[in-house]
Amino acid sequence: MTARQVPLVSLFLSLFLSLISGTYHVSATSTPPSKDLNIPTVVDLRIEGQNRTIFSGPIRTRGHNVTSASGVTLHCDGTNNHTNPTPGPTCTSALDDASKQAGFSWDGELFTEFDDFLITRIARSEQTATEFWGILVDFQFTPVGGCQQQVKHGDKVLFAFNAFNKTHFLSLAGPKAAAVNSSTTFAVTDGASGEKIANATVVTLRGGPVGITNADGEVSLEFGKTGIHVVKAFREDSIRSNHVKLVVT
Ligand SMILES: *[C@@H]1O[C@H](CO)[C@@H](O)[C@H](O)[C@H]1NC(C)=O
Ligand SMILES: *[C@@H]1O[C@H](CO)[C@@H](O)[C@H](O)[C@H]1NC(C)=O
Ligand SMILES: *[C@@H]1O[C@H](CO)[C@@H](O)[C@H](O)[C@H]1NC(C)=O
Ligand SMILES: *[C@@H]1O[C@H](CO)[C@@H](O)[C@H](O)[C@H]1NC(C)=O
Ligand SMILES: *[C@@H]1O[C@H](CO)[C@@H](O)[C@H](O)[C@H]1NC(C)=O
Ligand SMILES: *[C@@H]1O[C@H](CO)[C@@H](O)[C@H](O)[C@H]1NC(C)=O
């Protein structure tokens, strides 16, 4: 297979699977046509690069023309390839808005037959002959490309490097507050299936306790310092988790 065939196969495979399961029908047609659905919408965007999280947080977006780093401009509002009847915010419009807000660039290869980009690079994480960017909404691969896939308020939009070679997309849950030096439990699951994930390393970013999840996907950490802590889960074969922010008092 050539470099470009692999993600296309993945795209078609996921399209095929979603047709069988009926999710394609739901995502493409469940929103009733309306005069203006292309209103600013806040989604929860996360971009997991090769070695680091490039972006994680809310982003306000609406469908708009985007321009890739290599200079190709394309409408990016879900009407691409006639996927949706009316314009609206999309995965890649969110990526584009985040890139402007946070100051990183992205690039894509235009596929005229899909009227969409294949994302090839975000920040410094560039696809290779075997590692590609994947796009997920609520931990499911999107059945179509990022300018075709519309999003709604609160959707968890994830761009993940080497997504097609990962075992799990980690999801981390934990409390918003904890008492200092008290046992605080975090749980790691597979975001798509809910399966409990053992052997994930749960790390307090910028210093603090670290632990490894047990067979129930749980780990207890004790925070020795008060303040705001940010915790995230990692496993070698998986896409790192969302972060959990908690206040220790
Ligand atoms: C948006 O991009 C399309 C090409 O996809 C172009 O035809 C159109 O003129 C652009 N619209 C604006 C407002 O720039
Ligand atoms: C693009 O649209 C055509 C015609 O509706 C369809 O056959 C094709 O599967 C679509 N491509 C993708 C990638 O969704
Ligand atoms: C990630 O780290 C590896 C190993 O240090 C390095 O070869 C690679 O260039 C890094 N990737 C990015 C995008 O920085
Ligand atoms: C996929 O993962 C396996 C096992 O982690 C690794 O050996 C292989 O090199 C990876 N392939 C790519 C394309 O990253
Ligand atoms: C977790 O790690 C232990 C020790 O390395 C190993 O025996 C066990 O099979 C691992 N479990 C999973 C689910 O990876
Ligand atoms: C928490 O534990 C650390 C290390 O054992 C200790 O230095 C600190 O005084 C403790 N803080 C409280 C409020 O108990």
Side-chain angles (χ1 to χ4, degrees):
M1 280 192 204
T2 68
R4 91 163 40 177
Q5 280 171 329
V6 175
L8 295 185
V9 167
S10 303
L11 198 64
F12 283 122
L13 177 64
S14 55
L15 179 63
F16 175 70
L17 292 174
S18 64
L19 284 170
I20 294 172
S21 68
T23 54
Y24 179 76
H25 177 76
V26 171
S27 66
T29 61
S30 67
T31 310
S34 139
K35 282 287 171 278
D36 190 8
L37 292 173
N38 193 15
I39 53 174
T41 298
V42 178
V43 298
D44 178 9
L45 176 67
R46 192 150 59 85
I47 305 172
E48 297 293 352
Q50 185 177 12
N51 301 326
R52 67 178 184 98
T53 303
I54 295 165
F55 188 91
S56 181
I59 191 81
R60 180 185 288 264
T61 188
R62 60 197 293 271
H64 63 272
N65 272 15
V66 301
T67 303
S68 66
S70 41
V72 176
T73 296
L74 183 69
H75 68 122
C76 190
D77 58 12
T79 63
N80 304 56
N81 204 35
H82 310 290
T83 304
N84 296 276
T86 53
T90 64
C91 295
T92 301
S93 77
L95 166 67
D96 187 62
D97 284 317
S99 78
K100 287 168 182 156
Q101 181 179 302
F104 60 85
S105 67
W106 65 271
D107 208 353
E109 198 175 333
L110 181 65
F111 278 93
T112 44
E113 63 267 44
F114 306 147
D115 196 19
D116 208 336
F117 286 110
L118 173 77
I119 303 297
T120 54
R121 179 181 59 77
I122 302 178
R124 292 184 54 226
S125 293
E126 182 149 32
Q127 73 172 28
T128 68
T130 54
E131 300 162 304
F132 303 95
W133 280 96
I135 310 175
L136 298 90
V137 173
D138 290 341
F139 290 107
Q140 306 289 341
F141 280 103
T142 59
V144 291
C147 286
Q148 298 170 70
Q149 182 65 53
Q150 289 186 345
V151 291
K152 57 185 193 310
H153 179 83
D155 276 352
K156 290 182 169 64
V157 179
L158 172 61
F159 286 79
F161 182 79
N162 201 11
F164 304 103
N165 194 36
K166 297 292 180 178
T167 311
H168 302 287
F169 294 83
L170 303 183
S171 175
L172 178 66
K176 287 186 160 55
V180 71
N181 288 343
S182 69
S183 177
T184 308
T185 301
F186 295 84
V188 179
T189 54
D190 176 292
S193 68
E195 180 193 339
K196 295 165 178 176
I197 302 299
N199 289 352
T201 306
V202 177
V203 175
T204 307
L205 304 180
R206 293 180 285 278
V210 174
I212 292 175
T213 55
N214 62 20
D216 286 330
E218 293 187 347
V219 63
S220 291
L221 302 180
E222 289 181 19
F223 296 89
K225 285 183 183 163
T226 58
I228 294 170
H229 296 272
V230 180
V231 179
K232 198 171 172 89
F234 300 78
R235 208 175 88 163
E236 195 64 44
D237 64 352
S238 299
I239 296 291
R240 55 185 91 89
S241 77
N242 56 293
H243 66 245
V244 168
K245 195 182 275 190
L246 80 164
V247 182
V248 174
T249 52

